Amino acid sequence: MAHNNSVLTITNTSTADPYMIYAHGKFYLTFTSGDRVEIWSADSLTDFGQSPEKYTVWRPPPNTSHTADLWAPELHALDFRWYIYYAAADPAYGNPSHRMYVLGGPPTFTPPTDTAVWSWQFLGRIAGLPEDQWAIDGTVVTLNGQLYFIYSGWPVPNPTGSDLVQELFIMAMASPTRAVGTPVRISTPERAWEFSGDHGINEGPQFLASPSPPLDGSNSSWVGIVYSCAGSWTKEYKMATLQFLGGDPLDPFSWRKSERPLLQAAGKPPWGPGHGSFLEVGGKVLAVFHGTDGEEDGWLGRKARVMRVRFEERGPVMGGEFCGPLVDAGVIVGGNITEWGGVTVGHGCRGHHRHGLRGLLHGVVGKFK
């Protein structure tokens, strides 16, 4: 089947910064909810816009250093336990107080929403990150058998507390809750398309790897990070890549930035496609990201969208840099169509566990019949 560049809309409401996995026979989606951490579950991609099961797994107490603006939660399976990484702020100090936090959940032999038996626990700030550095959008990555934490932060040092520049940093992790060593900057805004006015932004890092062995007919093998850049409040928000070239992940020269964006708006909806996560289904890689219907929607109405990723010799490709035509999940369901882009999106999917690099990153990913 020919590669399909269409974009599937899977939620009817704003689900900014979507992060999705497949485990225990269901898809699980978490996203920015503001004052809490939610997990939605569904049997199929299209069900997220119809009848997802919704769980609030964490709501912080009032008036703490981590009560306000909970951003970009991610759900990961590490050391046989579910963890959620997210950013939060002190309501007394606002955005400059954003730091990275972690929740510990049920064991991975049970669904992450099994709160009737297992409760989610607040484990505090991620130990070892700089106390005075603004930090958001943290994710975990396993490279060369070692766990790493990659996040978006303001420059160090930053004596004026300026928010004009966001960079990507990496640290080794001694455990799922503790980073060690000193943060190493692996990306800073330098391309014109990484800026919105005076704001140069690198954020939302996410692991991506080509299927191994490649299942799309290519001979490519690619491992790296997809990050978002430019202002998330603008229609120019987009995604780009940092390829891992091998060697020491803590060496900035082990990473190579793309010359062009991976994905951006094509002069029509969805606008501002960004903050994507990735999962492998049926031997194909899907990107789950947010985008708006309106050109000037800003942070409003950032619905979850899904698009195929293919791999060429030069690396990952999504629509030749631009979003393809928009397809609504309701239309697919109403038309009794379950195949989209060569991927089954309706009921009847079957999951399997993957271990190692992608399995550790994405917890457990699904494979369709």
Side-chain angles (χ1 to χ4, degrees):
M1 179 175 290
H3 184 79
N4 190 321
N5 287 330
S6 61
V7 178
L8 178 68
T9 301
I10 61 170
T11 61
N12 300 324
T13 59
S14 186
T15 47
D17 313 322
Y19 188 89
M20 184 181 291
I21 65 166
Y22 186 85
H24 298 285
K26 288 182 178 289
F27 289 95
Y28 293 92
L29 172 69
T30 187
F31 54 91
T32 293
S33 298
D35 64 347
R36 64 197 181 281
V37 175
E38 285 191 18
I39 299 176
W40 291 5
S41 68
D43 293 327
S44 72
L45 292 176
T46 56
D47 282 345
F48 282 110
Q50 305 295 322
S51 55
E53 297 179 14
K54 301 179 181 182
Y55 304 84
T56 297
V57 298
W58 172 248
R59 189 185 297 272
N63 303 317
T64 73
S65 61
H66 55 92
T67 295
D69 296 331
L70 280 62
W71 291 351
E74 292 190 7
L75 179 62
H76 292 271
L78 299 169
D79 296 345
F80 308 104
R81 187 181 187 185
W82 293 109
Y83 291 90
I84 292 176
Y85 298 92
Y86 67 101
D90 187 328
Y93 297 98
N95 181 46
S97 65
H98 265 109
R99 301 293 186 271
M100 287 301 308
Y101 294 86
V102 59
L103 305 174
T108 53
F109 64 71
T110 194
T113 54
D114 187 8
T115 55
V117 178
W118 309 89
S119 62
W120 281 87
Q121 300 174 323
F122 178 68
L123 303 181
R125 283 188 57 183
I126 298 174
L129 267 66
E131 291 285 335
D132 58 351
Q133 186 186 23
W134 183 88
I136 64 167
D137 295 353
T139 194
V140 288
V141 179
T142 297
L143 295 167
N144 300 336
Q146 167 67 47
L147 188 65
Y148 294 90
F149 193 73
I150 302 179
Y151 64 97
S152 177
W154 289 347
V156 177
N158 185 24
T160 65
S162 171
D163 65 352
L164 292 180
V165 176
Q166 287 177 228
E167 303 175 315
L168 298 183
F169 295 85
I170 186 171
M171 295 182 70
M173 298 193 79
S175 75
T177 62
R178 184 166 66 92
V180 293
T182 302
V184 175
R185 187 183 71 182
I186 57 173
S187 181
T188 190
E190 53 192 346
R191 314 267 196 254
W193 41 264
E194 295 178 291
F195 285 78
S196 289
D198 293 335
H199 289 266
I201 296 175
N202 286 182
E203 64 183 20
Q206 289 293 315
F207 175 79
L208 177 62
S210 56
S212 181
L215 300 176
D216 56 2
S218 73
N219 296 315
S220 63
S221 178
W222 192 95
V223 175
I225 293 295
V226 173
Y227 68 98
S228 297
C229 52
S232 60
W233 60 93
T234 72
K235 63 182 180 182
E236 291 86 15
Y237 200 48
K238 61 182 72 70
M239 294 188 287
T241 65
L242 281 177
Q243 183 181 8
F244 177 59
L245 302 176
D248 183 2
L250 296 176
D251 181 353
F253 292 101
S254 295
W255 302 88
R256 179 170 60 198
K257 181 178 293 190
S258 57
E259 294 294 331
R260 299 290 305 163
L262 173 65
L263 185 68
Q264 60 183 320
K268 58 184 178 181
W271 299 98
H275 207 113
S277 61
F278 301 88
L279 71 163
E280 188 179 320
V281 291
K284 301 174 178 67
V285 177
L286 300 183
V288 183
F289 57 92
H290 73 235
T292 64
D293 292 330
E295 191 172 355
E296 304 300 329
D297 284 353
W299 284 324
L300 301 176
R302 291 180 288 175
K303 300 175 184 177
R305 325 282 182 160
V306 181
M307 187 174 176
R308 285 273 310 277
V309 182
R310 76 176 189 271
F311 288 86
E312 299 180 348
E313 293 298 328
R314 60 191 173 108
V317 177
M318 294 180 68
E321 188 183 320
F322 296 98
C323 289
L326 201 56
V327 181
D328 186 79
V331 173
I332 289 179
V333 174
N336 196 30
I337 300 171
T338 57
E339 290 289 333
W340 162 80
V343 177
T344 304
V345 298
H347 295 278
C349 55
R350 178 174 59 201
H352 75 289
H353 289 246
R354 290 195 62 154
H355 303 283
L357 191 61
R358 277 187 291 276
L360 184 62
L361 262 282
H362 297 149
V364 251
V365 296
K367 190 170 186 177
F368 294 98
K369 280 185 178 179

